[in-house]
Structures are given as C-alpha cells and as structure tokens.
C-alpha cells in the first residue's frame, strides 16, 4: 500500500515504490494476463539497470531502476513490458528483445484486456 511523506518544503509526496509493491502488482498481472504460468516474483530495484527496467534471461531477475520507482504508473508499465519478455521465455520462445510483431501482438492483447486502462 502506498505511503506518503512530507518533504522539506512541506509537499506531500508518495514514498518510493518498494520491491514488495512491485511483486504484488506483478503477481496480480501474472494471474490476470499471463495465467498460463505461475507467478514467480524476482525483482530488484537498482541504480544501474541500464535503462528504466531490464531482465536477466538466465536468472529471470527483473531489474527496475530506482528513478522509475517514483511513479506507480511508470513502474506498472515497465512491469508489463518486462513480463511480456519473461512469459515468452517461460513459453520456451525467444524473448523478442527487438519488440517485433510477436511483442506488439502481446501489447495489443494486454491493452484490449484492460491492463493499461488506468495507466495511459
Ligand atoms: Zn523490452
């Protein structure tokens, strides 16, 4: 659950998103949008992901850049993106890192299913 703090200027800000929150969202997405595989949350928040988020093919660890965790919407979009790749691997397929037709078809499927309804 989101928590909020007051900064030095008196502004109320959402506290950075935690790994527990990311895992809860990822588990819910897995059950709803990728039910063919069981949820297996393996997420780390790091300062050197090499981009907003990435994943390691061999370990299936998802890395989310610390800077991305200031935004719940961005973090959720990143989760869905990486989960498309990871579920391709779980299916025994290439992860389609070039985001080709197979990846785009999954984005369309998730969009139609409502995954991005409150995010875009
Ligand atoms: Zn990608």
């Amino acid at each position: 659950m989101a928590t909020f703090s007051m900064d030095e200027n008196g502004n109320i800000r959402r506290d950075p998103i935690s790994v527990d929150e990311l895992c809860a969202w990822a588990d819910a997405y897995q059950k709803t949008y990728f039910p063919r595989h069981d949820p297996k949350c393996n997420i780390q928040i790091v300062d050197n992901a090499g981009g907003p988020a990435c994943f390691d093919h061999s370990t299936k660890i998802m890395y989310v850049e610390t800077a991305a965790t200031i935004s719940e919407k961005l973090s959720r979009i990143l989760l869905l993106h990486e989960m498309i790749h990871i579920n391709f691997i779980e299916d025994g397929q290439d992860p389609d890192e070039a985001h080709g037709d197979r990846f785009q078809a999954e984005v369309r499927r998730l969009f139609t299913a409502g995954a991005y309804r409150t995010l875009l």
Side-chain angles (χ1 to χ4, degrees):
M1 183 173 151
T3 58
F4 297 85
S5 300
M6 187 177 294
D7 70 13
E8 64 277 6
N9 298 316
N11 300 309
I12 304 294
R13 298 198 184 280
R14 187 197 198 286
D15 292 333
I17 292 158
S18 67
V19 167
D20 287 346
E21 285 177 290
L22 292 173
C23 283
W25 300 337
D27 283 354
Y29 285 148
Q30 188 70 33
K31 288 174 186 160
T32 304
Y33 301 116
F34 305 95
R36 61 191 186 270
H37 301 294
D38 291 332
K40 280 179 279 189
C41 184
N42 202 346
I43 299 174
Q44 296 181 19
I45 297 172
V46 296
D47 291 328
N48 56 353
C54 67
F55 72 99
D56 183 309
H57 291 202
S58 56
T59 62
K60 296 176 193 148
I61 296 173
M62 186 189 309
Y63 298 96
V64 177
E65 187 77 26
T66 302
T69 63
I70 65 166
S71 166
E72 178 174 342
K73 287 183 179 183
L74 173 59
S75 295
R76 286 177 175 270
I77 291 167
L78 293 171
L79 286 178
L80 288 166
H81 180 110
E82 298 305 331
M83 290 176 75
I84 291 172
H85 290 304
I86 291 169
N87 278 278
F88 282 156
I89 294 172
E90 292 288 310
D91 291 340
Q93 301 177 21
D94 178 273
D96 195 1
E97 288 181 83
H99 311 112
D101 291 344
R102 218 163 24 95
F103 188 92
Q104 298 306 319
E106 275 293 275
V107 172
R108 282 193 297 278
R109 181 182 70 81
L110 294 178
F111 186 88
T112 300
Y116 298 99
R117 186 167 293 134
T118 61
L119 304 179
L120 302 176

